[in-house]
Amino acid sequence: SQELEQSPQSLIVQEGKNLTINCTSSKTLYGLYWYKQKYGEGLIFLMMLQKGGEEKSHEKITAKLDEKKQQSSLHITASQPSHAGIYLCGADIPHSGYALNFGKGTSLLVTP
Amino acid sequence: DAMVIQNPRYQVTQFGKPVTLSCSQTLNHNVMYWYQQKSSQAPKLLFHYYDKDFNNEADTPDNFQSRRPNTSFCFLDIRSPGLGDAAMYLCATSRDIGQTFFGAGTRLSVL
């Protein structure tokens, strides 16, 4: 089965600083999804990447899927307290109706 | 505006007492999922419905059952909750491949 490893596990950054979260897969990624989860709540969709080399941006968040399609990164520019939460990467589970297999998440805290 | 609605948000049950969690969606998506998420862990797929077809993950305990009476609603039944079943339960929907929408979750406590 596919495993997704996220790094770092947790991150504390000062407001205004940039940061990067990585997601490494044990197998080729055919669909990679980034979600944000606020503590004790559901998952909010951020971005979906499907093609090797693909890069997408939304506001101050940029996600990339590397050419070999086994790693993705999420980059936040000029972090704000509203960026705090848990960031999860997810990948399609074959033969499971497009269900997702998730990494354990990266917990982000942004300090003033 | 909520598109995937889970009720209740918090549920407390007693050890061994059956409990049902509910999920409804306004997106008319054909696929619905139930995930279990324990503290500081990744969400884990329990089962999913592709239209009316029920698909159980191999390692989902028999204690967990699900019903989908129509496109909009899906229920998670835990027949005899144990302490180890305390977790956040997430319902999600999708229309084939693409974005999966999640509800806010139901946090289950077992006393």
Side-chain angles (χ1 to χ4, degrees):
Chain A
S1 62
Q2 180 178 48
E3 292 195 359
L4 297 173
E5 188 171 330
Q6 288 188 236
S7 62
Q9 282 187 314
S10 63
L11 201 53
I12 302 174
V13 299
Q14 196 172 21
E15 185 176 357
K17 298 292 186 185
N18 302 337
L19 63 107
T20 299
I21 298 168
N22 293 303
C23 174
T24 302
S25 172
S26 59
K27 296 185 180 180
T28 299
L29 294 163
Y30 292 101
L32 189 285
Y33 304 78
W34 283 100
Y35 283 84
K36 178 185 175 184
Q37 184 177 30
K38 291 190 176 179
Y39 298 99
E41 297 187 10
L43 278 64
I44 300 167
F45 174 80
L46 296 175
M47 272 170 274
M48 177 177 76
L49 305 165
Q50 290 186 292
K51 300 176 184 177
E54 188 174 10
E55 180 175 321
K56 288 187 178 178
S57 294
H58 178 67
E59 296 180 343
K60 295 185 178 180
I61 301 176
T62 300
K64 300 179 186 179
L65 182 60
D66 81 355
E67 290 288 343
K68 294 182 181 178
K69 296 177 70 177
Q70 285 201 250
Q71 188 173 51
S72 178
S73 62
L74 185 83
H75 184 78
I76 299 177
T77 303
S79 58
Q80 301 168 353
S82 61
H83 288 127
I86 301 170
Y87 289 82
L88 293 139
C89 64
D92 294 321
I93 303 174
H95 315 300
S96 288
Y98 311 105
L100 299 176
N101 181 36
F102 287 95
K104 288 187 178 180
T106 295
S107 177
L108 171 64
L109 180 63
V110 180
T111 61
Chain B
D1 288 320
M3 296 176 286
V4 182
I5 304 160
Q6 291 188 243
N7 284 306
R9 290 294 310 279
Y10 302 92
Q11 176 75 56
V12 180
T13 191
Q14 290 179 331
F15 183 93
K17 186 174 181 181
V19 65
T20 295
L21 310 182
S22 71
C23 177
S24 64
Q25 54 136 335
T26 60
L27 298 163
N28 202 34
H29 283 170
N30 60 327
V31 193
M32 294 188 77
Y33 313 86
W34 281 103
Y35 289 84
Q36 179 193 61
Q37 186 180 27
K38 295 188 177 180
S39 182
S40 301
Q41 293 187 22
K44 179 180 176 296
L45 181 67
L46 294 174
F47 25 61
H48 75 275
Y49 275 94
Y50 192 100
D51 295 321
K52 294 183 180 180
D53 294 332
F54 175 72
N55 298 272
N56 203 24
E57 291 301 296
D59 56 355
T60 298
D62 292 339
N63 198 23
F64 291 85
Q65 303 286 322
S66 185
R67 295 170 282 135
R68 188 180 185 185
N70 53 52
T71 301
S72 301
F73 286 87
C74 196
F75 300 97
L76 170 61
D77 300 309
I78 308 176
R79 291 192 295 189
S80 182
L83 298 178
D85 296 327
M88 174 76 89
Y89 290 88
L90 297 163
C91 174
T93 73
S94 71
R95 176 164 289 286
D96 296 324
I97 200 162
Q99 184 178 342
T100 300
F101 291 81
F102 283 81
T106 294
R107 181 166 296 280
L108 177 69
S109 298
V110 182
L111 303 179

